[in-house]
Amino acid sequence: MSSFKRKAPSKQASLAPGTRFSPASLSTIITSTGIPSLDDILGGGLPLSCLLVVLAPDSHSAYGELVQKYFIAQGLSCGHKICVADDDAIHLVKECMWTPGSLQSTSTPPSRVEDEDDEKAIQHDDKIKIAWRYEQMKRFQTTVSSATSSADDYCFTFDLTCRIPESVVDAAIVAGKLTFLDVDSPHDQDVPVRRIIQQIQDILVASSAAQPVRMSIRALGSPQWGDLSPADILYFLHSLRGLLRRHPHGCASVSFSPHICTDAWGGPGWQQKVGWLADAAIGMTAFGANPSLISLFPSHHGLLQIHTLPAPHSILPPSDRFSALRGLSSSAGGAGGTGENNLAFKCMRKRLIFETLHLDLEGGVTERRTTPSTNAIALEAGALLEPPSINADGERKKATAHVEVELEAVEDLKAGEEIPKGPQPIAEPSKMKKPKKKVAFHSDRPDLYDF
Amino acid sequence: MFPPSALLSSRKLILITDELAAPADFLLHRFLSTKIRENKTSRCIVLSVSEDFERWKAIAAKSNLSLFQTSPGENLVFIDVLAKVQPPSHHEEKREIDAFLCPIYDLLSSALAPSEEHRETLVILDDIATLQWLGFTSIDLTRFSRSLRNLCAKADATLIIRHHLVNPPEVEPLLQHLFQLSSYHIEVRPLASGRSGAVSGEVCLHLGPAEGDATCPLTSRAGAIQYRLTDGGAIFFDKGTSGGVL
């Protein structure tokens, strides 16, 4: 009898739902943030025992909060234990998005509904006649598809137009899977940082190691947290990361309040300090603050900066090897060899997407010719097909649209000349044709095209 | 290729500075594993601020080295700094200065206590910048680093201190002081052209003010050695010779 035995795949069975092994190593277990493209950037997902920090410095939008909602919704879908530290946590959870198919039994399968935007775009593109030598090439992709991960329950496909059912939230609270930590307590003599750390520690100690625990903080540094100093925040991050390392079944996602996201608040190098004390730190800089960027990148809502990426068991972050969006390893081989892609994000009607940012064929001085219109057409068509439903994220969307309109006005004032309105927010389908024409005239504006 | 072998046995203070885009973790791990490998009787003491022992162990395991946290007097002593001391909170009243980091000094001096056989010793403080950010004052850390250096000089040990640069051209008082104390300064920098899959960054080795003559070959910025990170370490090569360069 041979002394060699096949290794029994016993480890597979012991993995909790919603988690999987990191592609880089079997000692790292990762879980999804709820956004497939963000998972890809992190190297497959957020590793357990790691801390993700989202810096979204634009105070007129709430992309940091949106990431938290995805994180919570994903946790609720997989049955993870979730702990939300916020004074208004219950409302935050009730505003989360949800998977489309679970509420109403529509005739179309959820994946079809979800990918409607893409499919419309594809149909639109198909009408273009392509030169024969390019016809066989793979379609140019700017983001990763979520279809690959829909085979299991690793990452659910959420729809921003669906809201989480009350019954799900109530059931999770009753089952003890959803706990809330009050930030502002009348008994506190001091800033609540040390008390919250203690409470999180209690939760981690009390929970079983087999079930992942997700910590979510919507706005660290907002008024409810009291008068935090930069050292308090860094101490909080450092302690939280230490806790997660000691209890490796937990992971945390923290968004900062917009005003503390920039170096202007914490002194020179503040974002870097945060990056050093978090496992993963990303910055989502929305274009709201800069009208010229809005017109330069009409199809995106902001730029993504990667400050640091998780590498809990290795020196090289797994993302460098496995992220398709960052594209560091695309030329493969031992040598690698390409530079990192520029990344941006956009929030469409149904989902938030991170994708690669490309300049246009002409070098970025005009609009991207197809995408804005196809998006708008797809959205319009989607709105016609579907009955108007309560928008799970209605407030945020309104806020975004409002900001853009306001800033266009500012831009007009500043330029002091009769300037076309620039690309309208995609929420206004009736004015679709206008920006296309007008952008062409932009090229004589001195502030944008200062060659 | 890097670091020169004479550096590790120099028994001086080596200052490492790095930036967020190019962390010098790989150098610390490399120093530790080189030291343990080259001499089985050598002694390593890690004062850890930002990394836990699990990560040190996992990374050492990738280069076939198993680390065990052992009792004092053995090969490796791992001291988690922030488990022993808490940063002063500006909300509470001032305590005696110097009191905060005393426990660490005491622990280290007991770990460095002379043993019967003379052994080569390496002391690593993995992150002094984080201590400063968490609220330890600059003057406390200045005194702490000075006393660490004296302690190591007395015990004939090599001391490695890492500091993060967050605002590169600007040099803060603590870093200036560390410069003055250091015999060698290793600078780890990201590429100015951004992240790349072929080259992760570059390292330079400068002579510090505390050392008169260099005993090991120096590397200037112009001739910086580039490296590419792997799972368990880094591969060094001269500028312009990486596989990805045309």
Side-chain angles (χ1 to χ4, degrees), chain A residues 190 229 232 234-235 238 241 245 268 273 276 306 311 313-316 321 326 328 334-335 337-340, chain B residues 18-20 26 49-50 52 55 62 82 86 90-91 130 133-134 164 167 195-198 228-231:
Chain A
D190 204 351
S229 68
D232 287 329
L234 294 175
Y235 175 78
H238 188 276
R241 190 173 67 167
R245 290 288 197 275
K273 291 178 188 177
W276 277 112
I306 298 173
H313 297 108
S314 60
I315 286 191
L316 184 73
R321 283 168 57 198
R326 294 178 66 216
L328 283 180
T338 51
E340 191 177 27
Chain B
D18 61 355
E19 296 173 32
L20 184 59
F26 72 99
V49 177
S50 58
D52 60 330
R55 183 156 190 263
K62 287 197 191 297
L82 284 162
Q86 285 292 308
H90 67 277
H91 300 282
T130 297
W133 301 339
L134 292 184
H164 303 312
N167 198 13
R195 285 196 185 94
S196 146
R228 182 175 75 244
L229 294 180
T230 61
D231 266 353

Side-chain angles (χ1 to χ4, degrees), chain B residues 10-31:
Chain B
S10 65
R11 304 180 181 188
K12 298 284 165 48
L13 193 160
I14 302 167
L15 173 67
I16 300 180
T17 56
D18 61 355
E19 296 173 32
L20 184 59
D25 292 0
F26 72 99
L27 273 184
L28 298 180
H29 289 277
R30 192 179 178 93
F31 277 126

Side-chain angles (χ1 to χ4, degrees), chain A residues 146-364:
Chain A
S146 55
T148 51
S149 54
S150 64
D152 51 9
D153 57 356
Y154 178 69
C155 180
F156 285 85
T157 310
F158 295 104
D159 185 343
L160 290 177
T161 57
C162 295
R163 189 178 282 220
I164 190 167
E166 295 262 342
S167 56
V168 173
V169 179
D170 294 339
I173 293 176
V174 169
K177 286 188 170 175
L178 187 58
T179 47
F180 304 124
L181 295 181
D182 277 337
V183 173
D184 193 13
S185 160
H187 308 297
D188 275 348
Q189 303 294 326
D190 204 351
V191 289
V193 163
R194 292 177 197 242
R195 177 176 55 82
I196 299 269
I197 287 288
Q198 186 59 44
Q199 287 177 331
I200 291 177
Q201 180 172 15
D202 295 343
I203 289 172
L204 283 170
V205 168
S207 59
S208 85
Q211 189 184 37
V213 181
R214 290 173 177 239
M215 306 285 161
S216 171
I217 294 172
R218 167 171 63 170
L220 180 65
S222 60
Q224 56 181 333
W225 286 81
D227 198 9
L228 291 184
S229 68
D232 287 329
I233 288 184
L234 294 175
Y235 175 78
F236 180 78
L237 294 181
H238 188 276
S239 314
L240 182 56
R241 190 173 67 167
L243 273 183
L244 295 173
R245 290 288 197 275
R246 284 198 292 280
H247 305 279
H249 59 289
C251 59
S253 169
V254 176
S255 291
F256 278 18
S257 180
H259 72 282
I260 68 166
C261 287
T262 56
D263 286 357
W265 184 79
W270 166 245
Q271 291 188 342
Q272 302 233 338
K273 291 178 188 177
V274 172
W276 277 112
L277 291 184
D279 290 300
I282 58 168
M284 297 172 73
T285 317
F287 292 151
N290 192 339
S292 61
L293 284 177
I294 297 177
S295 50
L296 198 56
F297 302 108
S299 55
H300 292 102
H301 294 148
L303 295 174
L304 178 78
Q305 293 139 338
I306 298 173
H307 298 295
T308 181
L309 288 162
H313 297 108
S314 60
I315 286 191
L316 184 73
S319 163
D320 282 16
R321 283 168 57 198
F322 297 102
S323 169
L325 280 179
R326 294 178 66 216
L328 283 180
S329 62
S330 59
S331 64
T338 51
E340 191 177 27
N341 291 331
N342 295 316
L343 298 176
F345 64 89
K346 63 180 173 188
C347 186
M348 302 199 296
R349 199 170 69 94
K350 293 189 170 183
R351 57 197 166 135
L352 175 72
I353 294 181
F354 294 90
E355 61 176 12
T356 51
L357 179 72
H358 295 277
L359 295 180
D360 201 24
L361 284 178
E362 290 82 0

Side-chain angles (χ1 to χ4, degrees), chain B residues 129-179:
Chain B
T130 297
L131 287 178
Q132 190 181 19
W133 301 339
L134 292 184
F136 290 100
T137 57
S138 199
I139 186 84
D140 272 354
L141 290 171
T142 305
R143 289 173 179 165
F144 179 63
S145 53
R146 199 160 55 207
S147 45
L148 275 193
R149 176 176 173 262
N150 291 343
L151 195 58
C152 290
K154 247 183 259 174
D156 209 12
T158 308
L159 173 63
I160 297 176
I161 296 181
R162 174 165 72 152
H163 190 282
H164 303 312
L165 291 178
V166 288
N167 198 13
E170 198 175 296
V171 178
E172 18 172 351
L174 174 64
L175 187 56
Q176 258 171 2
H177 181 80
L178 288 172
F179 273 138

